[in-house]
Amino acid sequence: MIILILSAAVVCSVILAVSIGQVSIPFMESYRILVYQLTGIPIGDIGELASGSQVDIIWHIRLPRVLLAMIAGSGLALCGTVMQASVQNPLADPYILGISSGASLGATFSIMIGFGAAGIIGGMGIAFWAFIGALGAAALVLVLASIGGKTSSVKLVLAGTVINALCSAFSNFIVYFAKDAEGIRSVTFWTMGSLASAKWDKLPLIAIVMLIAVLFLLFQSRIMNTMLMGDETAVTLGVNLHFYRRLYMIISSMITGVIVATCGIIGFVGLIVPHLVRSVVGSDHKRLLPVAVLASAIFLIWTDVLARTVIPNGELPIGIVTALFGAPMFMYMLMKKSYGFGGK
């Protein structure tokens, strides 16, 4: 029942969110435009709208952005939930493998060195280099954590911390010696997260990656439930922890890398939403995963609405808004001890 309610809430949120912005459009007008654009079926007098500025605002600007927020939010919560189970750590999030710092290094390199603007390699753009950086950091973490024996949750967390610090140091090094003020501003804005670059041609890749990952991970709930019981119990029950931990890390790295390359770094979503959902539906991943995916989609849709409307004729980086909401929520959960991680 809760999944059906949240699914309906996602659809309503999408329709409402495209109505809200610097140019206010009535809800029914947005609904008519969306139905006409998606199905070709006119509702009322659609003739004037079909060539009007409202159609351009909703169909070409707001709807791709709202859909990107929905997909990115779902992906971050999915990865956060999987990471928390894989490393058995309530503080785990999608960026625990140094993915955010690796992506930042790739984007900083692209922006400041100029590869994002010229040449065959540069034609691939900032998103390409951010994705390469994210995957490179994740690969280094997995290699570092596997040295000297099987990969453990503690070694993964420690390796992620090391790679995160290393990539951040290189990014700061590049920025420190750069003399491009506009480039520094671009790097800063990118690292705070933004959905402003949302376009229809960017949605298929991230949507396909997310769909495949969700369909696969929804059938992995038993393995993740076993992981929460601890390594010894999981091994006793016949779960190959070394294989599944690496598999989940690779899948999560791919999803997070695509999201970060498209939207920049959006913090707290993958950390907070799984805990909030866990406090409501419990730690069983069969219910936790789909509810977290839907709840996070709604959360990021509305935080993006706030980010693009709170400042007249401007917008806040969405990472600032999610942090302003996420940090107090997490402090409240800690005080109430309602995070319920692994039944603890």
Side-chain angles (χ1 to χ4, degrees):
M1 179 61 72
I2 189 172
I3 295 176
L4 291 176
I5 294 172
L6 287 174
S7 299
V10 169
V11 175
C12 293
S13 295
V14 169
I15 299 175
L16 287 171
V18 298
S19 303
I20 302 171
Q22 302 293 342
V23 177
S24 181
I25 300 175
F27 171 76
M28 284 307 300
E29 295 298 323
S30 300
Y31 174 72
R32 290 169 57 205
I33 291 171
L34 290 177
V35 171
Y36 181 73
Q37 290 292 329
L38 291 171
T39 66
I41 300 174
I43 298 178
D45 185 13
I46 197 71
E48 295 181 3
L49 292 177
S51 59
S53 60
Q54 290 183 339
V55 174
D56 292 332
I57 291 172
I58 288 180
W59 186 253
H60 296 293
I61 299 175
R62 291 185 185 170
L63 185 58
R65 180 167 180 152
V66 171
L67 293 178
L68 181 59
M70 179 185 73
I71 296 169
S74 300
L76 290 172
L78 179 71
C79 294
T81 306
V82 172
M83 289 288 190
Q84 288 167 9
S86 297
V87 302
Q88 300 152 27
N89 190 328
L91 293 178
D93 69 356
Y95 307 130
I96 195 171
L97 294 186
I99 292 172
S100 59
S101 57
S104 295
L105 177 58
T108 302
F109 178 81
S110 173
I111 293 170
M112 304 306 297
I113 306 301
F115 276 56
I120 297 176
I121 298 177
M124 298 178 181
I126 298 170
F128 170 78
W129 287 101
F131 182 69
I132 292 298
L135 289 189
L140 283 175
V141 170
L142 290 174
V143 170
L144 189 60
S146 62
I147 294 175
K150 291 186 176 180
T151 305
S152 68
S153 58
V154 175
K155 288 170 70 177
L156 279 168
V157 173
L158 293 176
T161 303
V162 170
I163 298 301
N164 182 68
L166 191 62
C167 290
S168 296
F170 275 114
S171 297
N172 292 333
F173 179 84
I174 294 173
V175 171
Y176 182 79
F177 283 98
K179 297 181 180 179
D180 183 358
E182 184 62 30
I184 293 173
R185 178 176 173 82
S186 298
V187 170
T188 303
F189 191 80
W190 187 88
T191 56
M192 293 179 184
S194 175
L195 301 173
S197 63
K199 296 289 186 295
W200 280 112
D201 58 353
K202 291 186 177 182
L203 291 180
L205 173 62
I206 189 172
I208 291 171
V209 170
M210 261 299 301
L211 180 62
I212 294 173
V214 168
L215 291 177
F216 174 75
L217 291 172
L218 284 178
F219 291 98
Q220 299 294 307
S221 57
R222 186 186 68 84
I223 303 295
M224 283 183 262
N225 288 342
T226 307
M227 283 179 164
L228 291 181
M229 299 179 184
D231 288 6
E232 293 182 1
T233 304
V235 171
T236 303
L237 294 175
V239 176
N240 187 344
L241 275 182
H242 179 67
F243 169 78
Y244 283 107
R245 187 170 279 144
R246 291 179 69 89
L247 176 63
Y248 295 161
M249 293 296 173
I250 292 170
I251 293 173
S252 298
S253 298
M254 292 288 292
I255 300 170
T256 308
V258 171
I259 293 173
V260 169
T262 307
C263 312
I265 300 168
I266 304 175
F268 273 98
V269 178
L271 175 65
I272 294 300
V273 175
H275 284 307
L276 289 174
V277 173
R278 195 178 282 113
S279 67
V280 175
V281 303
S283 297
D284 184 358
H285 286 83
K286 188 174 183 179
R287 286 170 56 86
L288 176 61
L289 280 173
V291 174
V293 165
L294 294 171
S296 187
I298 297 169
F299 175 73
L300 204 62
I301 286 172
W302 287 107
T303 49
D304 180 58
V305 169
L306 184 61
R308 58 186 166 85
T309 57
V310 68
I311 300 177
N313 301 318
E315 71 172 79
L316 276 175
I318 192 172
I320 294 176
V321 182
T322 56
L324 289 174
F325 277 104
M329 282 184 188
F330 200 51
M331 287 188 286
Y332 174 79
M333 289 164 56
L334 287 175
M335 289 187 290
K336 291 292 185 179
K337 297 182 179 179
S338 59
Y339 47 88
F341 182 76
K344 299 177 183 178

